[in-house]
């Protein structure tokens, strides 16, 4: 085991991580938490539960201005690039309403995913040059999968990589290109994500 997730006997997945890999993953997860932002404050003990329910569903209606956040929280129906006709205006209205009721919950889930990664990495204790073995199963495996996906989406936004873009030039960058570390992180996270998915589907 080393460098990728592998299935464990009895279920779950495991990966051997060097100390530097633990540090990089933890740093990326913390940066993701900072990007997503703090959670909603805890309700007062004597707060009206009905009022709290309505407040929880009163989220933003406009997409985030940050390209990375816009990639993490895309419009459900029609985005700003949609044309000016009446159908497009209706799609934007539907997207705004959908965002109002769902974005806060989605932010909370993404925040919990990133926190789960940080906490599980904090529990690792690499001994000297020996790699530490991280084991994830059940909900934690899904948390990791969600966080890895969000990290790749965030880095893709920073590198301007789109689903329709081969971006082959990015993967042949010279070592002195300032984007090279981000590209390497993007590819590494992709390998982790792919092998973790394989442990869920049993195709390893």
């Amino acid at each position: 085991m080393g460098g990728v997730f592998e299935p464990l006997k009895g279920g779950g997945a495991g990966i051997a991580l060097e100390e530097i890999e633990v540090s990089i993953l933890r740093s990326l997860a913390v940066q993701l938490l900072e990007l997503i932002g703090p959670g909603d404050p805890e309700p007062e003990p004597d707060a009206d539960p009905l009022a709290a329910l309505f407040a929880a569903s009163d989220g933003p209606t406009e997409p985030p201005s940050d390209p990375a956040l816009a990639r993490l929280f895309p419009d459900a129906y029609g985005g700003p690039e949609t044309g000016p006709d009446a159908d497009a205006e209706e799609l934007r209205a539907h997207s705004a309403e959908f965002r109002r009721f769902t974005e806060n919950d989605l932010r909370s889930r993404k925040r919990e995913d990133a926190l789960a990664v940080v906490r599980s990495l904090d529990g690792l204790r690499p001994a000297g040059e020996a790699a530490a073995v991280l084991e994830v199963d059940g909900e934690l495996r899904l948390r990791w999968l969600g966080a890895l996906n969000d990290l790749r989406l965030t880095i893709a936004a920073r590198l301007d990589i789109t689903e329709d873009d081969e971006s082959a030039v990015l993967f042949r960058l010279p070592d002195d290109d300032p984007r090279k570390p981000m590209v390497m992180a993007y590819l590494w996270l992709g390998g982790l994500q792919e092998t973790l998915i394989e442990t869920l589907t049993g195709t390893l």
Side-chain angles (χ1 to χ4, degrees):
M1 181 187 302
V4 296
F5 280 100
E6 297 181 9
L8 297 174
K9 292 181 179 179
I15 182 172
L17 294 170
E18 303 290 342
E19 186 173 1
I20 184 62
E21 294 172 323
V22 172
S23 178
I24 292 171
L25 280 170
R26 190 186 187 284
S27 176
L28 289 173
V30 168
Q31 290 179 62
L32 180 60
L33 283 169
E34 293 171 350
L35 178 67
I36 294 171
D40 296 325
E42 290 293 327
E44 297 294 332
D46 56 349
D48 181 355
L50 188 59
L53 177 64
F54 279 106
S57 61
D58 192 19
T61 57
E62 296 295 324
S65 57
D66 186 301
L69 285 174
R71 191 77 66 95
L72 292 175
F73 306 104
D75 273 315
Y77 301 102
E81 72 284 352
T82 311
D85 56 62
D87 288 341
E89 190 64 34
E90 184 177 356
L91 286 176
R92 282 193 290 270
H94 287 321
S95 286
E97 189 70 0
F98 186 83
R99 183 180 295 278
R100 183 167 77 89
F101 283 99
T102 61
E103 184 169 312
N104 285 344
D105 286 342
L106 186 56
R107 280 181 181 265
S108 294
R109 193 192 77 202
K110 291 180 181 297
R111 190 179 300 111
E112 290 166 4
D113 289 348
L115 273 172
V117 169
V118 171
R119 288 168 180 160
S120 57
L121 291 172
D122 284 345
L124 289 182
R125 295 291 181 269
E129 296 182 359
V133 176
L134 171 71
E135 297 184 1
V136 295
D137 58 10
E139 182 180 350
L140 183 57
R141 187 159 47 162
L142 297 177
R143 293 285 186 196
W144 264 83
L145 195 57
L148 289 172
N149 185 63
D150 289 341
L151 285 171
R152 292 194 79 233
L153 286 174
T154 300
I155 295 175
R158 297 298 187 228
L159 292 171
D160 201 25
I161 298 174
T162 66
E163 291 182 3
D164 300 326
D165 182 11
E166 294 293 335
S167 301
V169 65
L170 287 176
F171 308 130
R172 296 196 298 270
L173 293 176
D175 290 341
D176 60 352
D177 191 295
R179 296 169 294 173
K180 188 64 175 283
M182 289 181 68
V183 170
M184 297 304 294
Y186 180 79
L187 295 173
W188 179 46
L189 293 170
L192 297 183
Q193 183 183 18
E194 181 180 356
T195 54
L196 186 53
I197 290 173
E198 289 170 344
T199 69
L200 283 165
T201 59
T203 57
L204 271 178

